[in-house]
Amino acid sequence: MAGTPVQVTGTVLTTRRVDAYHALTVVAPGIAERYRPGHFVSVAVGGAHTSMVTRRAFSIHDVKSDYGGTVELVFTSGGPGTAWLAERRARDTLDLVGPLGRPFPLPRDPANCVLVGAEYGSAVLFPLADALLARGCRVDFVLGGAGAERVFGAMRARRMAQTTTLTTEDGSLGLRGKVTDALPSVIADARADAVYACAPMETLRAVTAVGMEFDIPVQVAVEESMACGIGVCMTCVLPVIGDDGVTRMVRACAEGPVFRGERVRFEDVGTIPFDALGAPGGGARHVS
């Protein structure tokens, strides 16, 4: 069944470096056949004899039908868990659980969609672009990073999209600045109906603000630290406003990682707002 997670032992098919990032392709048929754009997997790291008991969550960059079904993960080596994963080689095995989370909602009718990604967060947008194009949508990319080596997927984006705008904070590739500096003109030129984004939280906050200025919906895939990936440990909660106007602390791994940007209280991420359900102000309606 689509979206129902499974636990599999996957064999590493290939590993490669993509500029500043690692890309790892794993044979995982059960996950590949259930995958939808925006889903993620959790991976056990450190091997059988390790003190790293918590899994690591990774977005899926690509899914192919090869060998019954493969998934590709893109990540940066920033700690002992990802460093261990970066050392895996072809024919090594990994314990994966997925697909997990809530995927991106797709428009029912053809629409003009701007996809915004920063750093390796861009990786999750490419299968989304494939799905949008299959529905007759127009796709425009805005991709960015600190420097040229940290902009992921520029060549692939250019092959897929109507336009691709690149930004770097140091000016080494494309426009100098951040993705949000270029976003308003891209939205206007594309006559965008919707924005999809995956990036660090501050960037998602800024992307959402731009979308609200243009009065178009923004779907964001949040980057929150996840330990279990299945909604048990509660390490990835963030304040989100519900349809009833009440703020609830929801789990990014279970109710997300995709949310409507205007519903996420980015200014309160990392805290429990006073008016959140269960907090002292308990269930007060949030007024923007």
Side-chain angles (χ1 to χ4, degrees):
M1 179 182 293
T4 304
V6 293
Q7 182 172 5
V8 302
T9 299
T11 301
V12 176
L13 185 63
T14 62
T15 63
R16 60 191 177 103
R17 287 298 300 268
V18 184
D19 296 323
Y21 307 113
H22 299 272
L24 189 148
T25 300
V26 186
V27 179
I31 294 175
E33 69 185 10
R34 292 168 169 81
Y35 167 79
R36 297 292 180 270
H39 278 146
F40 68 95
V41 296
S42 67
V43 182
V45 297
H49 307 287
T50 178
S51 60
M52 292 187 284
V53 296
T54 59
R55 291 172 172 265
R56 304 296 187 272
F58 298 97
S59 297
I60 297 173
H61 168 238
D62 212 355
V63 172
K64 287 188 168 63
S65 58
D66 304 358
Y67 302 94
T70 66
V71 297
E72 184 177 66
L73 316 177
V74 174
F75 59 97
T76 184
S77 178
T82 49
W84 178 89
L85 193 64
E87 294 171 353
R88 297 311 93 199
R89 295 295 177 260
R91 292 189 288 276
D92 286 346
T93 58
L94 293 174
D95 183 305
L96 302 91
V97 174
L100 297 169
R102 173 179 173 263
F104 288 107
L106 302 178
R108 287 188 294 271
D109 301 312
N112 297 342
C113 302
V114 176
L115 276 55
V116 185
E119 306 281 328
Y120 62 88
S122 303
V124 73
L125 299 175
F126 290 95
L128 170 64
D130 282 331
L132 291 171
L133 290 169
R135 292 189 173 217
C137 296
R138 168 178 168 148
V139 169
D140 294 82
F141 271 104
V142 183
L143 304 177
E149 76 286 350
R150 303 197 72 83
V151 177
F152 181 83
M155 292 293 289
R156 184 177 178 187
R158 284 175 171 145
R159 291 194 298 268
M160 301 174 73
Q162 190 79 18
T163 67
T164 297
T165 303
L166 307 177
T167 70
T168 49
E169 293 176 33
D170 64 5
S172 56
L173 180 66
L175 304 173
R176 181 185 291 273
K178 299 181 179 181
V179 289
T180 45
D181 296 326
L183 182 57
S185 62
V186 175
I187 288 176
D189 291 346
R191 297 184 178 181
D193 300 304
V195 174
Y196 294 85
C198 184
M201 295 295 270
E202 276 304 308
T203 301
L204 295 180
R205 179 180 183 178
V207 169
T208 297
V210 173
M212 292 176 71
E213 288 177 10
F214 281 86
D215 195 26
I216 58 176
V218 180
Q219 296 286 342
V220 298
V222 301
E223 293 187 356
E224 277 290 290
S225 297
M226 301 178 188
C228 73
I230 57 174
V232 175
C233 69
M234 306 297 286
T235 61
C236 63
V237 296
L238 72 166
V240 175
I241 304 167
D243 291 340
D244 56 3
V246 174
T247 296
R248 293 172 176 82
M249 300 303 294
V250 304
R251 302 162 296 179
C253 68
E255 285 77 36
V258 177
F259 296 98
R260 289 171 54 181
E262 74 276 10
R263 295 290 184 87
V264 179
R265 292 175 60 171
F266 288 106
E267 70 278 9
D268 294 318
V269 169
T271 72
I272 300 176
F274 178 81
D275 58 341
L277 190 67
R285 291 182 180 272
H286 181 73
V287 179
S288 300

